[in-house]
Amino acid sequence: MNDEMFERLLYEEEGPVLDFKREQYRFVKANEEEKSELLKDILGFANAWRRSIAYILIGVEEVRGGRSNVAGIATTDHFDDHSLQQFVNNLTNQPVQFQYEAFGFKGKQVGIISIMEQNRPIYLKRDYGKLAKEKVYVRRGSSTDPTKPALPDEIAKMGADTHEPAELLVEFADTKLDSGLGTSVRLDTEICQMPAKEQIPDYVEMRETHALSTAWVGPGFNFMNHLNEDYLRELAQYEFWRRLFRPVRLVVKNVGQVAANNVRVELMLPRSSAMIVVDEFEIPNPPKRRHSLLIPSALENIRSAIRQEPGDVIIDQNDERFRIEIGCGHLQPGRRVWSDIFYLGKGKSGDLQIHSLIFADNLPQPKSFVLTVSGIVTKTSMTVEDIVLLSQRSAEK
């Protein structure tokens, strides 16, 4: 475990591969009933239907829909991995592949139990606490119910289950054509310093050119074709964004021989990496000299971001990082998914690396890969006169 992977897990929700525990399990000096709670959870994850490592994070309080809270545990509350291994494997029909790790994160101690993908079913050789021998306990969703062990047909499928991993490739793609560009791309950008908003004057047109541009409501006033006094200010903002951000697109390919299920790509950009990422919906539209007073201009750029299609891009951020998530659904061999376009802005020249992970049900663990963004960043500035001149030039086109 490292800080980056742990931080990713804090944003996940409980399920077949993740559980949060606010307090440490009762183990040392505990009775069988108390110890069986820990045993149940390890067995439940070991038998769960999954294609990646499962984690129990101890000392973490779940926050649904947000970043879970790291409460921490006392250093003296950590388990001894060897003792825990002996306890579990002396009771089971076959060794359980798992480990306990004492992990420090931002000054707090956390216990991490990692349960690897392994041959199943796994069950107890004798009754222990609240658990019965030869019952196959399995985690379904976000819990393991000891009163609902696996059914005979589920157990049969466990024994017949194969673990051939998926083979997946992620690379940059052309934003206009369905063609891959490899794992590196060049993006030359410009950081243009603009005048302060209050320094940019209202936009004014020649009255003889547009007789209906009067700003007072009276005879001849046109609600649908009103002069946009903020045009120059909006133009400055639009030019800043247009010069700084470049469109980016990814393609995810199944290059193996088996289907890949529930494929998901995560790109993590620390703010210290000098890169900024924004959704296509955040990019301002080219400003208009005239607009409708009946439809506020702020609403003109609203588009629906609630979709459930393969290739959808979800971006979230906090004070430390940007996270880009791309859901790809199921990929049959030879199939590929093209992501929606998102935008990257660079703060410095040179090669910048994006460390990323790809998840799938039939990957034994998340596959890491690196995408590289290179290019030159130029720093420029515009005056109020430059913006006015730009406005005049665009009007002549």
Side-chain angles (χ1 to χ4, degrees):
M1 182 65 66
N2 56 41
D3 284 0
E4 182 178 325
M5 182 63 186
F6 185 78
E7 181 73 25
R8 291 175 188 270
L9 292 175
L10 294 178
Y11 286 89
E12 298 287 338
E13 293 188 353
E14 291 186 334
V17 295
L18 182 64
D19 193 19
F20 298 111
K21 297 293 182 183
R22 174 63 180 81
E23 306 289 341
Q24 179 63 282
Y25 290 94
R26 299 291 304 276
F27 186 67
V28 178
K29 298 181 180 180
N31 58 38
E32 287 195 2
E33 186 81 9
E34 293 167 331
K35 287 183 180 180
S36 65
E37 180 64 25
L38 169 60
L39 186 59
K40 169 184 68 71
D41 286 346
I42 292 176
L43 291 175
F45 275 117
N47 287 318
W49 300 93
R50 58 189 172 88
R51 292 295 187 183
S52 63
I53 296 175
Y55 297 98
I56 303 174
L57 305 186
I58 304 165
V60 178
E61 184 177 16
E62 183 187 23
V63 177
R64 288 189 174 274
R67 181 182 184 276
S68 291
N69 178 49
V70 181
I73 61 174
T75 304
T76 53
D77 285 344
H78 280 305
F79 295 151
D80 174 72
D81 179 65
H82 178 72
S83 298
L84 191 58
Q85 297 274 351
Q86 277 193 324
F87 163 69
V88 173
N89 291 323
N90 283 341
L91 292 168
T92 54
N93 64 311
Q94 65 185 46
V96 181
Q97 300 175 40
F98 77 98
Q99 67 177 18
Y100 181 89
E101 175 185 1
F103 183 71
F105 183 76
K106 295 185 178 180
K108 296 182 179 179
Q109 287 292 305
V110 176
I112 300 176
I113 301 177
S114 305
I115 304 100
M116 291 66 181
E117 186 188 4
Q118 53 205 285
N119 292 327
R120 303 170 297 162
I122 299 173
Y123 52 85
L124 298 180
K125 296 180 290 185
R126 65 176 179 86
D127 293 342
Y128 190 88
K130 57 186 176 183
L131 305 179
K133 68 177 182 179
E134 298 178 353
K135 295 291 185 181
V136 178
Y137 299 104
V138 58
R139 185 176 178 90
R140 296 185 178 92
S142 60
S143 64
T144 302
D145 188 345
T147 66
K148 297 180 180 178
L151 300 173
D153 61 335
E154 290 182 292
I155 296 172
K157 290 178 181 178
M158 289 180 186
D161 196 17
T162 60
H163 303 294
E164 186 176 359
E167 294 183 51
L168 298 162
L169 176 67
V170 182
E171 61 181 18
F172 289 108
D174 192 290
T175 57
K176 297 179 180 178
L177 304 174
D178 286 346
S179 59
L181 301 176
T183 57
S184 62
V185 68
R186 182 182 178 92
L187 301 176
D188 292 329
T189 60
E190 176 185 343
I191 300 176
C192 185
Q193 183 176 354
M194 295 292 178
K197 190 174 181 179
E198 56 271 16
Q199 294 176 334
I200 303 176
D202 290 348
Y203 177 64
V204 178
E205 283 183 333
M206 295 296 291
R207 229 172 250 279
E208 58 267 25
T209 303
H210 295 285
L212 298 180
S213 64
T214 180
W216 54 276
V217 178
F221 184 80
N222 192 334
F223 284 98
M224 302 303 292
N225 190 30
H226 184 67
L227 182 69
N228 179 12
E229 294 181 348
D230 290 323
Y231 172 71
L232 294 178
R233 289 181 283 271
E234 292 174 2
L235 180 62
Q237 180 190 35
Y238 171 73
E239 282 296 313
F240 175 83
W241 283 70
R242 185 184 69 83
R243 299 174 187 218
L244 175 59
F245 289 96
R246 296 290 179 264
V248 175
R249 190 184 184 205
L250 300 181
V251 58
V252 183
K253 310 174 184 178
N254 185 344
V255 296
Q257 301 299 314
V258 298
N261 299 320
N262 295 320
V263 179
R264 178 169 56 87
V265 174
E266 281 191 5
L267 282 63
M268 194 75 73
L269 283 72
R271 289 188 179 271
S272 59
S273 69
M275 276 193 286
I276 303 173
V277 59
V278 296
D279 192 281
E280 63 175 326
F281 308 123
E282 299 178 70
I283 298 293
N285 287 326
K288 298 178 180 179
R289 289 176 170 79
R290 294 179 164 274
H291 62 103
S292 169
L293 290 181
L294 302 181
I295 305 176
S297 59
L299 298 179
E300 293 179 0
N301 200 35
I302 292 180
R303 287 160 278 185
S304 176
I306 304 175
R307 297 168 296 174
Q308 300 293 327
E309 298 295 327
D312 285 352
V313 174
I314 298 174
I315 298 171
D316 76 15
Q317 59 179 295
N318 57 29
D319 292 339
E320 298 178 349
R321 57 97 185 113
F322 295 94
R323 184 177 63 145
I324 306 166
E325 180 176 320
I326 303 169
C328 304
H330 303 316
L331 288 178
Q332 296 296 323
R335 293 296 300 273
R336 59 192 66 192
V337 166
W338 309 90
S339 81
D340 288 343
I341 291 175
F342 56 97
Y343 288 77
L344 285 178
K346 296 179 66 209
K348 65 180 181 181
S349 300
D351 293 346
L352 301 176
Q353 294 187 329
I354 304 175
H355 294 274
S356 312
L357 292 173
I358 185 165
F359 301 81
D361 286 352
N362 47 335
L363 282 176
Q365 58 185 353
K367 178 184 177 182
S368 61
F369 62 97
V370 176
L371 299 174
T372 302
V373 179
S374 62
I376 297 174
V377 177
T378 305
K379 294 187 178 181
T380 62
S381 63
M382 291 188 74
T383 65
V384 172
E385 291 74 18
D386 293 330
I387 297 170
V388 173
L389 183 59
L390 180 63
S391 167
Q392 293 171 350
R393 287 174 178 172
S394 62
E396 295 170 357
K397 294 180 180 180

